[in-house]
Amino acid sequence: MGNPAYIIRNYHPQDLDRLVRFRAEVENLGRTWGTSLPELTESLGRPNLPPENNLFIAELAGNIVGYADVAPELDIGRVVLGFLVHPEHGAKGLAAKLIDCATRRATELGAKAVHVNIPQDSVRVKRLLCKRGFRFVRRFLELRLDVSQARLPNISQLAPRCRHLQRGEEAELAQIQNRCFADTWGYNPNTTEDVIHRISLPHCSPEDVILACDADKPIGYCWTRTKLGGNMGKGCIYMLGVDPDHRGRGIGRQVLVAGLAYLKSKGLRVVELTVDSENKAACALYRSVGFESWTSSLWYEKALG
């Protein structure tokens, strides 16, 4: 018997409710890998990146059974591919079809490479990616801290050295981010629009970003987030950086502690983060405050053209 007759097409706005239900169904089946529901919602509203062009839906008999999300980051010559297939269809060639569809879109966009991030233990996906011309390029560590047991100062005690981001400072935050991460692997420069979009998402706010200041000038930041869905009680360090002109002064540790204190004040017990295994300074900083490795993820790359 042949493979089912899947239909792969572009996303339409009327797909949203069914797409959300599909993602929730897969999560309920214990499939936690792939673009999370909050990440999917975030990607659908990215500034100047209409999902109708970059999100592909897989259907069978009118039901959504998978999708592939293409996130263009053309300033650094790549697209990031996220995809998810219902477990019942994982061995039927659908994932390969979605990857090929997304790769064609990346070629249309003029990208030089496609990157995919997967859990370290995804043996089947590793084999699939290698068959589609991808190769392993980077390992990112997943670190975790039981912040409920950590001895941290009240965030108010850290003022005026650290304070929350305020509305109207989005351009300054984008500028700090881009200075902090210029030329680091996989970093795509942010715009003010990107920052505004992310802090305006449901359950996000400017208060989630802690700024380290020298007088009134922001010189570093810790961007925190609260995990939703099945991860209630968990927070994460989304990004942390220090202006290159102010490194070596303990600013990174200072603003990290402030971010952890803020998450703890919200009643969260566990804080997680992701860090490039080759960023030795960042790894050392996180371990110095008690973060421990619990797993890792792998980046695969396919060169185009």
Side-chain angles (χ1 to χ4, degrees):
M1 187 173 179
N3 285 337
Y6 297 113
I7 295 173
I8 298 179
R9 59 170 177 81
N10 290 80
Y11 167 85
H12 302 300
Q14 57 266 34
D15 293 321
L16 178 58
D17 290 342
R18 289 195 305 140
L19 187 60
V20 168
R21 287 197 298 271
F22 163 73
R23 187 62 181 85
E25 177 185 349
V26 174
E27 282 189 354
N28 289 336
L29 291 172
R31 176 71 178 272
T32 56
W33 174 68
T35 311
S36 70
L37 198 52
E39 289 170 338
L40 177 60
T41 303
E42 177 177 341
S43 71
L44 292 176
R46 290 172 298 196
N48 304 314
L49 294 173
E52 292 85 353
N53 297 332
N54 299 307
L55 180 60
F56 300 95
I57 302 295
E59 288 184 319
L60 180 65
N63 296 313
I64 294 178
V65 293
Y67 64 82
D69 179 37
V70 175
E73 296 184 350
L74 300 181
D75 286 338
I76 58 171
R78 76 171 183 176
V79 301
V80 177
L81 166 61
F83 64 94
L84 184 65
V85 173
H86 194 287
E88 292 180 5
H89 302 268
K92 298 179 181 179
L94 179 56
K97 293 178 184 294
L98 285 168
I99 291 171
D100 291 346
C101 181
T103 301
R104 287 193 294 271
R105 175 58 180 160
T107 301
E108 292 172 359
L109 290 166
K112 296 178 181 178
V114 180
H115 285 166
V116 181
N117 184 232
I118 66 171
Q120 65 176 359
D121 55 356
S122 299
V123 177
R124 178 182 293 179
V125 180
K126 291 178 188 176
R127 288 200 297 261
L128 172 63
L129 291 174
C130 289
K131 288 181 179 178
R132 310 323 283 180
F134 287 78
R135 65 182 182 90
F136 167 73
V137 291
R138 210 81 164 192
R139 180 183 298 274
F140 274 38
L141 305 177
E142 307 292 330
L143 307 183
R144 180 180 285 172
L145 172 69
D146 183 352
V147 75
S148 67
Q149 302 300 315
R151 299 184 63 180
L152 298 167
N154 187 295
I155 191 169
S156 63
Q157 297 175 313
L158 298 170
R161 293 171 297 165
C162 295
R163 63 171 177 81
H164 297 286
L165 180 75
Q166 299 174 8
R167 292 284 181 185
E169 293 183 319
E170 294 89 353
E172 289 182 73
L173 178 56
Q175 184 179 41
I176 293 173
Q177 284 184 296
N178 295 338
R179 279 182 55 79
C180 290
F181 292 98
D183 301 324
T184 59
W185 189 89
Y187 179 71
N188 184 58
N190 276 320
T191 66
T192 302
E193 286 181 302
D194 294 328
V195 173
I196 292 173
H197 167 62
R198 292 191 176 104
I199 64 174
S200 300
L201 292 166
H203 307 288
C204 295
S205 77
E207 192 175 52
D208 296 334
V209 182
I210 312 299
L211 297 178
C213 298
D214 185 1
D216 292 330
K217 180 184 178 183
I219 57 174
Y221 74 101
C222 179
W223 194 330
T224 70
R225 283 190 171 180
T226 301
K227 292 196 171 184
L228 306 177
N231 292 306
M232 292 301 289
K234 291 184 180 180
C236 75
I237 304 298
Y238 174 56
M239 294 188 78
L240 183 146
V242 176
D243 188 297
D245 291 342
H246 295 270
R247 289 175 183 166
R249 296 169 47 193
I251 304 298
R253 183 183 180 88
Q254 183 182 104
V255 74
L256 172 60
V257 169
L260 294 172
Y262 170 66
L263 290 170
K264 185 175 182 178
S265 74
K266 298 176 72 172
L268 302 176
R269 296 184 57 83
V270 176
V271 177
E272 298 174 344
L273 61 84
T274 302
V275 61
D276 186 344
S277 64
E278 297 187 22
N279 188 340
K280 303 303 182 184
C283 291
L285 170 63
Y286 295 133
R287 294 187 189 283
S288 74
V289 299
F291 277 93
E292 297 180 348
S293 297
W294 64 283
T295 187
S296 64
S297 64
L298 310 176
W299 282 95
Y300 278 74
E301 176 183 277
K302 180 174 183 175
L304 303 177

